[in-house]
Amino acid sequence: MKCPKNILFYGTDTLFTSVLKTLNQRGHPILTVTKSTTTPVYKFCKQHNLPVDVFTKSRLPFGSKKECFREHLGVVTSFGGLIPGRVISSTKLGFVNVHPSLIPQYQGPSPLQHALLNGDRDSGITILEVQPRTFDKGRILHQVPMEIPVDLSGTEVWRYVADKMSEVMSDYLDNRELLKSRPQDSSKATHAPKILKHQLKALSHVCPQTQNASQIYNISRLVNLSRLAVCVSWNDRKLKLRSVRMVRDPDLVELARVRLRPGQFVYHQGLILMRCVDDSVLGISEMILPFSHALSAERFYRAHAPRTKQVFTMFYSSPDDEESCVKKDRTTN
C-alpha cells in the first residue's frame, strides 16, 4: 500500500487548514471540497490556486464521474457533515478521517472542546476509516498519543493540536504499508456532541463561590476557542476576565487562602489573585468592563480598588446567582 499521490480533501474549519497545507507542501495533487465559498478552506484554496468545489449531496465533487477518484485517497478533517456513501466508494484508495482524540474516546464533532472542558491532560490523534451514514465508527488505522499542554490558552491548544494532526497525517502517508488496522472497542466509546453558542455563553458566567479554580480555568480555555471570555458580575456590571491561569505557587496560594474568602481577590505583582472554592486560586492578567478596552491587572487595580484595602468585593456570575453564592459562602466559611 504505497503512499497515494492524489488527495480528495473535505474540510471547513479555520485552524485545521494546517492538514490541507501540509498535504499541499508534500506535493500531492489535491481536489478540495468545502461547505461554502466563505469557509477558511475555500479561501486557502483560492490563495494557493488549488481546485475547490462547494459540497452538494446531489452530485459527485467537481461534476465528476465515479471512476474519476479511483486513484485518490479521501481525507476529511473538521468537515461538519457526513461524507456521501457514493463518494466514499469512489475513492479506491480509501477514505480516512483525521480526528483529534484517542478514538473511541470523544466520538463526535467537538472532541477538543470536551477535552478542554474536562481538563484532560492526555489525548491523541487518530486516523480512522470513514464509513457511510455514521460518524467516527470506522477501524483505527493509525493512532498517536499526545499530551495537551496545561498552560496554553484554548486557541493556542487548538493550533498545537492542528500541527500534531499534520504530523500524524504525514506519518500515516509515509508508513501506510507498515500500519495494521484494528476495530474500535465500543465499550470504551464516549461522545463529544457539538457545544452550541448559547451553551458557551451560559458556561462563561462563572461563580468562584461555587466553582474551583480548575473548573473556571477549563471553561476559560473552552470559550477562548470561540473568542469569548469567562465573566462575572462586579458592582452590577459584567466583568470579563482574560488571560486566566492557574496559580500553583504555594506561597501565593497561601496568601490568598489567608487573606481572602472565595470570590474575593487581591492584586499582587502584576496579577489579580482570586480565591475560589477548595482553597484554589486563579491569576488574572486582564479585565474588560462594558464599553471599555482591556485593562491590565495593575491598571484595573489602580482605577477600581478600594483605597483602604487591597481586597475587592464578591463576584457573582449573575444577579440571580448572588443569593445562592452568598448562602454557600456563609456555610463554608
Side-chain angles (χ1 to χ4, degrees), residues 21-239:
K21 181 179 179 180
T22 296
L23 294 171
N24 187 43
Q25 290 173 340
R26 287 171 57 96
H28 295 280
I30 306 170
L31 298 176
T32 300
V33 181
T34 189
K35 285 291 188 69
S36 75
T37 58
T38 62
T39 68
V41 165
Y42 186 91
K43 295 175 182 177
F44 177 89
C45 289
K46 288 300 183 181
Q47 290 170 358
H48 294 82
N49 298 315
L50 299 178
V52 60
D53 192 18
V54 175
F55 174 76
T56 177
K57 294 181 180 180
S58 61
R59 61 171 175 81
L60 287 172
F62 299 92
S64 303
K65 296 181 179 180
K66 190 171 184 179
E67 59 270 16
C68 291
F69 301 118
R70 64 178 56 181
E71 299 298 326
H72 286 71
L73 172 70
V75 177
V76 59
T77 176
S78 190
F79 180 63
L82 290 170
I83 308 299
R86 64 184 178 278
V87 175
I88 297 172
S89 62
S90 71
T91 53
K92 300 304 180 183
L93 298 182
F95 214 111
V96 302
N97 177 14
V98 191
H99 190 83
S101 81
L102 290 176
I103 287 293
Q105 182 188 43
Y106 294 142
Q107 297 172 344
S110 301
L112 184 55
Q113 288 87 336
H114 284 270
L116 290 175
L117 183 60
N118 294 330
D120 292 350
R121 294 288 300 274
D122 297 320
S123 185
I125 309 296
T126 303
I127 296 181
L128 66 156
E129 290 180 345
V130 175
Q131 295 181 339
R133 299 182 297 278
T134 186
F135 285 108
D136 305 331
K137 302 290 187 181
R139 293 178 66 86
I140 295 171
L141 305 174
H142 189 35
Q143 196 165 64
V144 178
M146 170 191 70
E147 184 174 330
I148 298 177
V150 68
D151 291 322
L152 297 184
S153 69
T155 53
E156 289 170 339
V157 169
W158 195 291
R159 294 188 185 98
Y160 174 84
V161 172
D163 289 341
K164 290 293 184 182
M165 291 173 69
S166 298
E167 293 174 12
V168 173
M169 185 68 212
S170 288
D171 186 49
Y172 168 73
L173 292 173
D174 292 337
N175 297 283
R176 292 180 82 219
E177 295 179 337
L178 305 176
L179 299 172
K180 294 183 179 180
S181 68
R182 68 180 190 273
Q184 297 186 34
D185 184 350
S186 58
S187 66
K188 296 181 179 179
T190 58
H191 190 52
K194 185 175 181 179
I195 302 176
L196 302 176
K197 186 174 292 187
H198 74 273
Q199 294 173 315
L200 287 174
K201 288 184 177 180
L203 282 168
S204 69
H205 289 268
V206 296
C207 182
Q209 290 90 345
T210 60
Q211 294 170 290
N212 62 39
S214 293
Q215 291 171 323
I216 296 175
Y217 178 64
N218 294 341
I219 293 170
S220 75
R221 299 173 91 196
L222 168 64
V223 300
N224 179 246
L225 292 175
S226 300
R227 299 295 191 267
L228 299 174
V230 290
C231 56
V232 291
S233 289
W234 177 72
N235 287 351
D236 296 324
R237 290 185 290 177
K238 180 180 179 180
L239 181 64

Side-chain angles (χ1 to χ4, degrees), residues 215-324:
Q215 291 171 323
I216 296 175
Y217 178 64
N218 294 341
I219 293 170
S220 75
R221 299 173 91 196
L222 168 64
V223 300
N224 179 246
L225 292 175
S226 300
R227 299 295 191 267
L228 299 174
V230 290
C231 56
V232 291
S233 289
W234 177 72
N235 287 351
D236 296 324
R237 290 185 290 177
K238 180 180 179 180
L239 181 64
K240 295 181 180 179
L241 312 179
R242 293 206 318 188
S243 301
V244 177
R245 56 178 148 166
M246 293 287 296
V247 174
R248 299 182 178 87
D249 186 318
D251 292 335
L252 296 183
V253 172
E254 180 65 12
L255 181 150
R257 189 189 68 80
V258 171
R259 297 188 58 179
L260 307 173
R261 291 185 296 166
Q264 292 182 320
F265 60 115
V266 64
Y267 175 77
H268 180 77
Q269 295 183 351
L271 276 181
I272 294 293
L273 302 178
M274 181 172 71
R275 183 181 171 185
C276 307
V277 297
D278 299 335
D279 288 337
S280 56
V281 181
L282 282 177
I284 304 153
S285 300
E286 288 186 342
M287 354 280 259
I288 304 177
L289 285 166
F291 312 110
S292 176
H293 53 79
L295 296 174
S296 68
E298 182 177 3
R299 290 182 64 190
F300 181 86
Y301 170 74
R302 290 183 182 278
H304 299 286
R307 300 303 179 195
T308 56
K309 57 181 180 179
Q310 295 182 340
V311 178
F312 288 75
T313 54
M314 290 286 183
F315 275 166
Y316 302 105
S317 62
S318 70
D320 293 337
D321 291 338
E322 180 170 344
E323 183 178 354
S324 62

